[in-house]
Amino acid sequence: MEKIIVRGGRKLNGTVKVEGAKNAVLPVIAASLLASEEKSIISDVPTLSDVYTINEVLRYLGADVHFENNQVIVDASKELTTEAPFEYVRKMRASVLVMGALLARNGRARVALPGGCAIGSRPIDQHLKGFEAMGATIKVGNGFIEAEVNGRLKGARIYLDFPSVGATENIIMAAALAEGTTVIENCAKEPEIVDLANYINAMGGIIRGAGTGTIRIEGVAYLKGAHHTIIPDRIEAGTFMVAAAITGGNVLVRGAVPEHLTSLVAKMEEMGVKIVEEEDGLRVIGPENLKPIDIKTMPHPGFPTDMQSQMMALLLQAKGTSMITETVFENRFMHVEEFRRMNGDIKIEGRSVIINGPVGLQGAEVAATDLRAGAALILAGLCAEGHTRVTELKHLDRGYVDFHTKLASIGADIERVKEEIQTTSDQQAAVSD
Ligand SMILES: CC(=O)N[C@H]1[C@@H](OP(=O)(O)OP(=O)(O)OC[C@H]2O[C@@H](n3ccc(=O)[nH]c3=O)[C@H](O)[C@@H]2O)O[C@H](CO)[C@@H](O)[C@@H]1O
Ligand SMILES: C=C(OP(=O)(O)O)C(=O)O
């Protein structure tokens, strides 16, 4: 079993560079399926397990995919199959993002139902509502969702009940090759949506309004591969910003885009953290004393749910009572129990948590319950007394490249180790029987 072991107490200093954004690269690679001519070249791709998974999904569907030196090259010009099986969707929910592109290109898509998830039930009804509005018939059975259309999808006006990131992306991809105009209202405004629209436009698509609450897509007859560079990862950047603040350090987070991080910067400044815009990123200087604040997660430009657990770690160090309300996911507080193992004083009340600080965090063995929780527990370990051992690193590897190495490069006392699981003599005897 692999573990990350952190010894707390060091102030972080230096420069750390952020990777291309996981949540931008996954839909962009999925959108490469739309190109029936020429290859796509996608640059600044992070070496994450999720990227390997989406590449596998594309290969399964019949595309040629090469991943080397942070560049993914996709040739989807051959005929594609239409089914994404459960083994991929189980590993990574974002596999459902191939559905819109497959449906638009082939008139049919069959994708395994995603199943449960550590942060909530995460239905995809808004994706399906969009496909149906464009003329697709949806059938659900035997653990699969099947969408089919006779001829081409037709442009439609679609109002999302919630500005879902994935639904907005899936509908954009489907609409890019539909006949006529699609308008998505109350859509997601995240920077990753803008990145996807820029990529599809470079492929020959016509998408306007990405980054606002209404997106308009004029369908085209075909799309060609294009060259695209992925935007920097605002959540990885935010995680390193918290690492600097929680240790009272001084770190330049190179590649952090201030416009993508306005809510986080505002909230960290409210806590007393100094944040300076520099030419190539954001410098974060942790104060002696952190102030308590209240946070409510919201769709962009509100406070990102993907930074909720990291901010919880920071608020445990603030003097006084803070509250975090999670409005995006129904069950994203699994990390609270793990923080309690480290002496965190946190109470859950419905969709909110009340945090009393500052507590003397104590090192303990804790498990990453999802990828951001994994990062947050390591952040807590940076200022805890003694050793913190974080397990279940498969979650962390979905979203962070060399997290421990990067933290070590700015002064953290941290290592990643493989530990043999101790077996008792009885167990050994049972195995050899
Ligand atoms: C790969 C990727 O980009 N993942 C991000 C994406 O996930 P994802 O695209 O899954 O998130 P959504 O914005 O779709 O989901 C937000 C909320 O809407 C609900 N919902 C969503 C779709 C739907 O059809 N019906 C429905 O009820 C979900 O259950 C959830 O409660 O945005 C989330 C919200 O910023 C982030 O936390 C994830 O990191
Ligand atoms: C929840 C996240 O990702 P995903 O939607 O891929 O599970 C995340 O990046 O924090």
Side-chain angles (χ1 to χ4, degrees), residues 37-94:
E37 288 179 20
E38 298 179 20
K39 292 178 183 172
S40 281
I41 302 174
I42 303 156
S43 302
D44 281 5
V45 177
T47 47
L48 297 171
S49 61
D50 272 12
V51 170
Y52 290 104
T53 305
I54 193 88
N55 287 347
E56 277 305 308
V57 176
L58 260 69
R59 287 188 192 111
Y60 183 92
L61 295 169
D64 284 332
V65 184
H66 295 278
F67 184 18
E68 222 177 339
N69 300 326
N70 296 101
Q71 204 166 59
V72 167
I73 302 177
V74 183
D75 182 348
S77 58
K78 283 184 262 169
E79 205 174 307
L80 303 173
T81 56
T82 51
E83 185 168 310
F86 187 50
E87 62 182 285
Y88 301 119
V89 185
R90 179 176 45 188
K91 257 198 218 162
M92 185 188 71
R93 298 181 48 83

Side-chain angles (χ1 to χ4, degrees), residues 141-154:
N142 303 100
F144 277 84
I145 314 159
E146 201 172 316
E148 209 161 358
V149 62
N150 229 339
R152 267 174 89 185
L153 291 167
K154 302 257 182 315

